[in-house]
Amino acid sequence: MSDTPPEGTPRADGPPTGEDEGHTLAYGHSLRHPAPRGGQNRADAAAAEGPPGPEGQKGGSRPDRGGRTALERKFARLGWGFALPGLLVVLAVTLFPIAFSVAMSLSNVDVSAGGFRLSGFTTGHYGLLLGSERWRYAVLFTVLYTIGTVLAELVLGTLIALVLERLGGAGRSWMMALLLLPWAMITVVSAQLWAYMYNGVYGILTSASENLTGEPVQFLGTRFPAIISMAVADIWKTTPFVAIIVLAGLMMLPKDVTEAARVDGADAWTAFWRVRLPLLRPALTIAVLFRILQAFGIFDLPFVLTGGGPGNATESLALLGWQVMFTNLDFGPGAAVAASTAALVLVGCLLFLRAFRSQVGEEEAGT
């Protein structure tokens, strides 16, 4: 027998004669010139494949100024195409009501049996607000109420999160389930529940205060106790939300950082205050932002619990806007209240984010 293979049989020790030696058509890389590995950038890969050509041709995927190739730009356009319907819905349900409120606040509103009609341009509605003592009190009350409740929820939520972190296992699960009950309860229901307890005749808290002090405390009958009582109901409901966000942040912290601090001699308080709390700032920022937005637009709790009273002691901006627009049917001033509330919320959030970023930037520059 002869060792010569039959004619047409490919050789086992190399590529067939006449084909692209050392090249794989599937991947476009040469065996003599292997593809770039980790550590080399896209420009090195393009240089290894050959000189750049026109965009879209083989070996000619020229990056743009942002460093993106034609394929990446194509996928980006495809992603924007998929996201466009969702963006249109967001614009319709979020930005359009705000824009319409601003337009209404700057127009003369003629109300008739067939509805209302906008005509002309005026800034009189905002002048009316600035001259209104009721609006100024609502702004002051809403700002102070937001600051006080958010700070209290932040402190209590952080303490609860630390306790939950140490519990672990089934105990943590049961405690989280109990904590979520107030948060899952509808605000109107929880407000009615607290109204029963604060009731000046048959409320359990009124009876308890009478047993302690000898006289029943009218929680919702006077100005300062009504504000404190409403804040307590709000903190009771929303503190679990802050606690869960902070607990998620604690669970994501690296354990070795805390262990290193303890090895260096830091006690539990120092390790938390100097090491863990700075690392928790992203989670705390999210919690604070959400709570600022919710607390600044509070409506249902004072609407059910106090009705804005006694007098206008617990009247928030949202409640004032509703009463002006839908009780007094003053659509122009009501829209001005809504627009001013949105502007104050936007300014507050931007200032908070700017302060947070500047603080983080200073710390990064100092490291």
Side-chain angles (χ1 to χ4, degrees):
M1 297 178 62
S2 174
D3 295 335
T4 304
E7 185 177 357
T9 303
R11 296 173 59 183
D13 56 349
T17 305
E19 294 187 3
D20 185 19
E21 297 182 359
H23 291 75
T24 55
L25 299 179
Y27 298 97
H29 297 306
S30 170
L31 295 176
R32 297 176 181 176
H33 305 283
R37 298 180 178 179
Q40 294 180 336
N41 53 27
R42 187 180 295 110
D44 296 335
E49 291 179 352
E55 184 178 320
Q57 296 182 2
K58 182 180 179 181
S61 181
R62 182 180 301 174
D64 59 3
R65 293 182 178 179
R68 298 187 307 173
T69 62
L71 183 60
E72 290 172 341
R73 293 195 296 271
K74 180 179 179 181
F75 275 109
R77 289 193 293 268
L78 185 63
W80 278 108
F82 282 119
L84 184 59
L87 292 177
L88 292 177
V89 172
V90 171
L91 290 175
V93 302
T94 303
L95 297 184
F96 175 75
I98 297 176
F100 187 76
S101 297
V102 174
M104 181 182 287
S105 67
L106 295 173
S107 305
N108 294 314
V109 184
D110 300 324
V111 183
S112 63
F116 61 86
R117 184 174 59 86
L118 306 183
S119 61
F121 174 80
T122 181
T123 58
H125 302 314
Y126 289 98
L128 186 63
L129 287 187
L130 295 176
S132 172
E133 184 179 354
R134 186 180 177 185
W135 179 78
R136 292 197 297 270
Y137 176 80
V139 172
L140 180 63
F141 168 75
T142 305
V143 171
L144 295 179
Y145 180 85
T146 301
I147 294 174
T149 54
V150 171
L151 283 178
E153 292 161 6
L154 199 61
V155 173
L156 294 176
T158 304
L159 294 176
I160 293 173
L162 290 173
V163 173
L164 291 176
E165 184 192 21
R166 289 184 174 274
L167 282 179
R172 180 192 299 169
S173 301
W174 280 105
M175 286 299 297
M176 288 183 64
L178 291 176
L179 286 173
L180 283 176
L181 283 178
W183 173 250
M185 191 178 296
I186 301 173
T187 304
V188 173
V189 176
S190 65
Q192 193 63 49
L193 173 67
W194 281 96
Y196 286 136
M197 292 191 294
Y198 287 143
N199 189 279
V201 178
Y202 53 82
I204 185 173
L205 294 179
T206 304
S207 177
S209 65
E210 185 176 9
N211 294 331
L212 291 176
T213 62
E215 293 184 359
V217 176
Q218 298 297 324
F219 291 97
L220 303 179
T222 52
R223 177 179 293 267
F224 186 70
I227 296 174
I228 298 298
S229 301
M230 194 176 79
V232 169
D234 195 10
I235 293 170
W236 171 80
K237 177 176 171 52
T238 52
T239 296
F241 170 76
V242 179
I244 291 175
I245 292 182
V246 176
L247 177 63
L250 287 172
M251 300 299 291
M252 296 296 292
L253 294 182
K255 302 294 183 184
D256 53 349
V257 176
T258 306
E259 294 175 357
R262 291 176 178 173
V263 169
D264 291 338
D267 55 8
W269 169 252
T270 304
F272 170 75
W273 185 256
R274 304 294 296 273
V275 178
R276 304 188 76 192
L277 189 59
L279 296 176
L280 274 177
R281 281 174 184 162
L284 296 176
T285 302
I286 294 174
V288 170
L289 276 180
F290 273 101
R291 284 302 304 138
I292 287 176
L293 295 175
Q294 291 178 337
F296 215 90
I298 187 170
F299 171 79
D300 39 11
L301 181 60
F303 181 80
V304 175
L305 187 63
T306 63
N312 60 343
T314 57
E315 189 177 58
S316 63
L317 277 173
L319 186 59
L320 174 63
W322 177 84
Q323 289 180 344
V324 171
M325 181 172 287
F326 296 106
T327 302
N328 303 336
L329 296 182
D330 292 332
F331 290 93
V337 172
S340 63
T341 304
L344 290 173
V345 171
L346 180 62
V347 170
C349 291
L350 290 178
L351 289 176
F352 177 77
L353 287 176
R354 184 172 183 179
F356 173 75
R357 289 176 179 173
S358 62
Q359 187 174 7
V360 172
E362 290 177 358
E363 291 183 354
E364 290 179 350
T367 56

